[in-house]
Amino acid sequence: MVISIVEKIVGRVYPLRRARFYLQRMVVGPSKRRKLASLLSRRLPVLPAAWGEEHLEERQILEEQGYVMLPNLVKECEVDEVVTWLKEKPVYDRWNKAAGTFSIDEPPDDCHTAPHLDTDIVNCPHLLRWANDPRVLSIVGQSLGGKPTLSNLTAWWSYPGHDEPQQAENFHRDVDDLRFIKLFVYLTDVDEECGPHVFVPGSHVCEDFTKIRRYTDEEVISYFGSKGIKSFHGERGSAFLENTFGLHKGQLPKSRRRLLFQAQYSLGPIGIYEYFPIQPEKSSGHPVLDEYVNRLYVK
């Protein structure tokens, strides 16, 4: 019995990167997490001069309210190409891997969200270029304190037709690293009918709600008030950066599905993820990418 318990514990935290992941999750206070992150950021490569420092105002907004909008980051024609590409690719149910892959038009009845495969995201036109835009890397790098690591790339569909929210469709904090920022790009028009992203401005520095769990709307509204919660409505191509240690959720869609692209930037790899760098297809037309930033996803 004792041996089985020990094996279970060791299996959960080994290799060492997993132990680091779980240890940082034990630091729950935002101020303590910021102090530790500042210490760790001293080991990061310095930001290239080419990324510039002209985006200090946007970085300050991000630091203060937990998010900042990025108008004109992507072009409408680029969004068209991305959506056309992804519509032909398979997806899977992130909470039911046994369902296998399926077409975006034929999700299982109980499927709430369906991400695309890493290979298709890496080879999709424009996505890596958006994630490596100098404006984005400059803001994120200044916030992290050095060169960021692109530690998660994903694009997923959110489906209507469900009565109750599932997992991340409830308010929560992300606790992937001591410091991280996420880029969001809407690939479909988003209003109240198709599940807008929802965020509580300023909650990234709030010393309450630090227990790692899902929170109900009632709990969040009773503390911050309904006016203290922001729903991100916008046309396709709308883009913003967000510190998702702040309270947030993906609103359950009512009548239309939503497609969203997300890139995560952190101090290093996320300990519980398995990374398998991909050699992009030559036809993808990707720009020259910073090897350090993209090392987890691109060969």
Side-chain angles (χ1 to χ4, degrees), residues 114-297:
H116 283 276
L117 302 173
D118 286 354
T119 300
D120 292 328
I121 293 173
V122 168
N123 284 306
C124 182
H126 306 300
L127 295 187
L128 276 178
R129 186 170 57 78
W130 295 349
N132 285 271
D133 186 279
R135 177 184 175 193
V136 171
L137 294 180
S138 175
I139 298 170
V140 169
Q142 292 172 49
S143 181
L144 295 182
K147 258 192 186 184
T149 291
L150 188 55
S151 56
N152 185 255
L153 282 173
T154 185
W156 75 89
W157 297 84
S158 296
Y159 292 101
H162 307 286
D163 295 328
E164 298 294 332
Q166 180 189 59
Q167 299 292 342
E169 292 171 337
N170 297 284
F171 278 109
H172 63 285
R173 293 185 188 271
D174 292 338
V175 198
D176 293 350
D177 198 356
L178 283 170
R179 184 178 291 169
F180 55 93
I181 302 293
K182 290 186 177 180
L183 168 69
F184 294 84
V185 181
Y186 282 165
L187 299 176
T188 51
D189 293 338
V190 176
D191 58 20
E192 200 61 31
E193 292 299 311
C194 46
H197 180 78
V198 180
F199 180 71
V200 182
S203 61
H204 62 301
V205 295
C206 175
E207 296 289 343
D208 293 312
F209 294 89
T210 55
K211 187 174 182 179
I212 300 176
R213 67 174 178 88
R214 309 304 189 187
Y215 293 91
T216 66
D217 288 6
E218 291 74 20
E219 287 177 295
V220 175
I221 292 173
S222 66
Y223 188 95
F224 294 96
S226 57
K227 292 184 179 180
I229 301 173
K230 177 177 176 57
S231 292
F232 289 80
H233 295 183
E235 298 178 348
R236 59 184 187 156
S238 298
F240 52 95
L241 290 169
E242 185 177 297
N243 180 342
T244 59
F245 182 70
L247 289 163
H248 66 286
K249 66 174 181 173
Q251 184 70 41
L252 184 68
K254 295 179 180 179
S255 62
R256 297 195 306 277
R257 64 190 182 187
R258 181 197 74 179
L259 176 61
L260 181 148
F261 168 64
Q262 177 186 282
Q264 176 173 277
Y265 310 86
S266 55
L267 299 174
I270 306 305
I272 59 170
Y273 292 173
E274 296 288 343
Y275 295 102
F276 302 97
I278 297 164
Q279 180 66 55
E281 298 173 1
K282 291 183 180 180
S283 59
S284 301
H286 291 314
V288 177
L289 302 173
D290 184 281
E291 291 185 5
Y292 178 85
V293 172
N294 296 273
R295 67 192 185 282
L296 303 180
Y297 277 91

Side-chain angles (χ1 to χ4, degrees), residues 11 28 35 77 82 114-115 119 152 256:
V28 296
K35 290 177 181 177
C77 61
V82 169
T119 300
N152 185 255
R256 297 195 306 277

